[in-house]
Amino acid sequence: MKKRHLFAAAAALALVSGSMVGCSPSGGGNAGGSASITTLTVASTTAPNSLDPAQSASGTPVRWFVDPSYASVLSLDGTGKVVEGLADTWEYVGSDNKTFKFHLRDGLKFADGTPLGAAEAIASFKYFLSTGAGPTKALFAGWEFEATDKNTVTIRTPNPVPVIPLLLTPDYLFGDIISPAGLADPSKLAAASFGAGPYVMDSTQTVAGDHYTYVRNENYHSPDSVKFDKIVAKVIPNLTQQVQALKTGQVQVIQGDSTVAQTISGTGIDLLKRPSVWTGLYMFDREGTIVPALKDLRVRQAVNLALNRDEIVKAVYGEYATPTSQPAIPGSSEYGFSEDLDDSFGYDVERAKKLLSEAGYANGFNMPVFYETYNPAEAKLAQVLADQLSKVGITLELKGDQNFSAWVTDLFSKKYAGTVFLGAGAAYQNVQWFLTKGALNPFGVTVPEIEEAYAKLSATTNPEEQKAAAVDVTKSIINNAPAAVVARVDALYGVDSAKVSGVNFLGDTAELSSIVNWAPTK
């Protein structure tokens, strides 16, 4: 297999959809003795918007509902290195980062027993591109496919893509191959599983919106690697209740946030944390379709200057975040992080008022914004942002969404000028949200400087040049202010390590290991 530099840091990035949880009395925990558990139970604050990989959100913990039943072309090991998945070999062809091929293992089958080969993989890819509505779809625009033989697929991309192996791992969903039965009736994909993963969803033990149960797939290609008899993911909207379920042994893993972090640790319970994402106010409407003021760069700069980031972090996140103005987090060289960019926008109310006046908005303006009520920290952030921006005359008309499906609906409705949300921390993934076809660019605004910086990063293969190009991407975003970044936030997970092992961050990234790689603690 040909070795290539793969922007390893980008593995940490994904569009975070909010906390997701699962719980089951049979899952075991601190209570119940020391015997190894056979059922793994995790928890989420909101139900998945869809079980269809082409429609699903990406990132942990959304993947807890998708990973069990869908195997991806490639995977990641515990260090974040790309390793075998459905494919056993892969390589770039040529030196322009535009042609790539992989070979699928012999004898693969979907859970229903149907053979899985190159033709089935390509059909799944084409379905994803033609109907996908998830946040990662833009990453694969223009890709073309050819079955070289029954198990070999060649991918050709219109532009250089130096991270194709990474994009074929589970967090990006595209590599999750859907069976012919699923593609024959896509309406069923939202509530059932049609993959080749280690588990298959059991509809008789599942109640949509409450709990989802996955049992062993008898046709999985590596049965010895399946460590649990069953995985249960249950929706528990209240994070405090999730912590209680963790401590009483009803669940083994939860994703927390700063509002409950200090209550998680206990006997046999570990708190995992690492800087993971940035958060702030996205300003979609940069063409002024709904809010004319946002078309003016001076206005978007004023929004940034009006925010007291130190105060925001203290009020919302405490010790679990760091004030910043840059949409990047520390990590490997390709993250695009530069300490010098943390203070790109200082706190300067008078300067903010002056810019608003120069742009013709001395009396301010109103801005309709939606946010996640099911994510306590982000909900609190929305209120704090509204309070601070009101001091320069900007009124955020806040609309809370009770679940992720509602949030996705509002994102594409074009009724809102922005949202309070988390952003990816590494340059290659982060910039995707601001490109013309980016997931968090519903108005399709084109920013030449950002597009050019992205194109340069995509075409660069030399590690040192990649580092500089990644920082240039971060600078291009700051220069055009499509968002007001306020904090670099820790990913926080509560883990019952007395019952489950293998739950860890991958290498130097903030991406959590896949749920299918966890095992009972012996």
Side-chain angles (χ1 to χ4, degrees):
M1 179 174 57
K2 186 179 294 184
K3 302 287 185 179
R4 281 187 178 263
H5 193 70
L6 295 178
F7 289 89
L13 303 163
L15 182 62
V16 179
S17 69
S19 302
M20 307 200 74
V21 182
C23 132
S24 168
S26 63
N30 291 327
S34 59
S36 295
I37 60 173
T38 58
T39 296
L40 169 67
T41 310
V42 294
S44 167
T45 56
T46 180
N49 65 306
S50 176
L51 298 179
D52 179 354
Q55 312 298 327
S56 176
S58 63
T60 305
V62 183
R63 281 175 49 195
W64 294 346
F65 295 85
V66 178
D67 278 9
S69 53
Y70 285 95
S72 197
V73 174
L74 295 171
S75 190
L76 297 171
D77 68 10
T79 69
K81 176 186 176 183
V82 176
V83 295
E84 296 177 357
L86 293 173
D88 51 14
T89 63
W90 60 98
E91 64 178 348
Y92 277 91
V93 179
S95 58
D96 61 359
N97 289 341
K98 295 172 66 175
T99 305
F100 181 85
K101 70 176 181 180
F102 63 84
H103 179 272
L104 294 167
R105 300 169 187 265
D106 294 331
L108 290 173
K109 294 181 180 180
F110 290 100
D112 63 6
T114 305
L116 194 172
E120 289 73 30
I122 291 174
S124 181
F125 292 159
K126 289 182 176 179
Y127 166 75
F128 191 103
L129 289 179
S130 64
T131 65
T136 64
K137 179 181 178 180
L139 293 166
F140 307 98
W143 286 28
E144 297 180 348
F145 317 96
E146 177 186 0
T148 308
D149 60 41
K150 69 174 185 177
N151 284 336
T152 303
V153 175
T154 297
I155 298 173
R156 295 181 177 85
T157 63
N159 301 301
V161 181
V163 292
I164 291 177
L166 183 64
L167 297 181
L168 295 177
T169 61
D171 199 31
Y172 299 87
L173 299 165
F174 181 78
D176 288 353
I177 307 303
I178 303 169
S179 72
L183 298 180
D185 188 357
S187 65
K188 295 181 178 179
L189 291 169
S193 61
F194 293 88
Y199 299 87
V200 60
M201 195 181 82
D202 185 345
S203 60
T204 67
Q205 300 184 64
T206 295
V207 176
D210 183 78
H211 64 275
Y212 300 74
T213 302
Y214 303 83
V215 297
R216 286 175 178 258
N217 169 17
E218 295 180 357
N219 289 311
Y220 186 55
H221 68 82
S222 180
D224 291 343
S225 68
V226 183
K227 302 304 183 183
F228 295 98
D229 292 336
K230 185 184 297 185
I231 292 177
V232 177
K234 184 175 175 62
V235 179
I236 304 177
N238 186 286
L239 275 179
T240 299
Q241 293 176 0
Q242 287 187 32
V243 174
Q244 184 64 17
L246 179 67
K247 289 187 171 184
T248 57
Q250 299 176 68
V251 304
Q252 287 78 59
V253 183
I254 69 171
Q255 183 186 44
D257 70 10
S258 59
T259 66
V260 297
Q262 292 185 339
T263 69
I264 288 177
S265 297
T267 304
I269 304 295
D270 292 334
L271 174 65
L272 305 183
K273 72 184 186 76
R274 181 173 291 181
S276 173
V277 294
W278 59 267
T279 190
L281 175 65
Y282 283 85
M283 293 176 275
F284 306 143
D285 190 23
R286 299 186 302 280
E287 291 294 343
T289 304
I290 297 173
V291 180
L294 293 179
K295 186 173 183 178
D296 196 310
L297 175 60
R298 292 170 295 184
V299 169
R300 302 196 302 274
Q301 290 172 333
V303 171
N304 274 275
L305 291 167
L307 299 176
N308 186 332
R309 290 164 173 80
D310 290 336
E311 187 176 283
I312 291 172
V313 166
K314 182 178 180 180
V316 179
Y317 302 104
E319 64 184 284
Y320 302 105
T322 302
T324 186
S325 299
Q326 69 172 312
I329 63 173
S332 76
S333 60
E334 299 85 7
Y335 268 47
F337 174 82
S338 172
E339 189 173 345
D340 294 339
L341 299 177
D342 267 343
D343 296 321
S344 297
F345 289 103
Y347 178 48
D348 192 338
V349 170
E350 292 308 312
R351 175 64 176 159
K353 290 180 177 178
K354 185 173 185 297
L355 287 174
L356 288 171
S357 180
E358 291 175 356
Y361 296 94
N363 295 323
F365 59 91
N366 291 4
M367 179 179 174
V369 170
F370 61 101
Y371 69 99
E372 311 162 299
T373 61
Y374 55 89
N375 184 327
E378 299 310 300
K380 188 173 183 180
L381 175 62
Q383 302 298 329
V384 174
L385 291 177
D387 177 65
Q388 291 200 357
L389 289 174
S390 69
K391 296 174 183 178
V392 296
I394 299 174
T395 300
L396 296 189
E397 299 172 346
L398 295 176
K399 189 257 186 176
D401 289 327
Q402 300 297 318
N403 55 57
F404 189 63
S405 293
W407 187 92
V408 171
T409 298
D410 284 343
L411 173 64
F412 294 109
S413 71
K414 296 186 179 181
K415 295 179 180 180
Y416 301 90
T419 188
V420 177
F421 199 56
L422 302 169
Y428 188 85
Q429 171 102 14
N430 192 30
V431 71
Q432 302 294 334
W433 315 138
F434 303 111
L435 299 176
T436 305
K437 296 182 179 180
L440 291 180
N441 188 3
F443 290 92
V445 181
T446 298
V447 182
E449 183 181 357
I450 294 177
E451 300 278 344
E452 291 167 8
Y454 167 70
K456 180 180 177 182
L457 176 63
S458 298
T460 303
T461 58
N462 177 278
E464 285 303 313
E465 292 176 357
Q466 286 175 343
K467 180 178 180 179
V471 172
D472 285 344
V473 165
T474 302
K475 290 179 179 178
S476 73
I477 296 171
I478 292 171
N479 291 344
N480 291 277
V485 181
V486 297
R488 184 161 56 247
V489 183
D490 289 343
L492 300 166
Y493 296 95
V495 181
D496 184 349
S497 56
K499 290 295 181 181
V500 61
S501 62
V503 186
N504 57 268
F505 293 115
L506 301 182
D508 294 330
T509 76
E511 181 171 355
L512 200 69
S513 54
S514 174
I515 190 172
V516 301
N517 293 330
W518 302 348
T521 300
K522 297 181 180 180

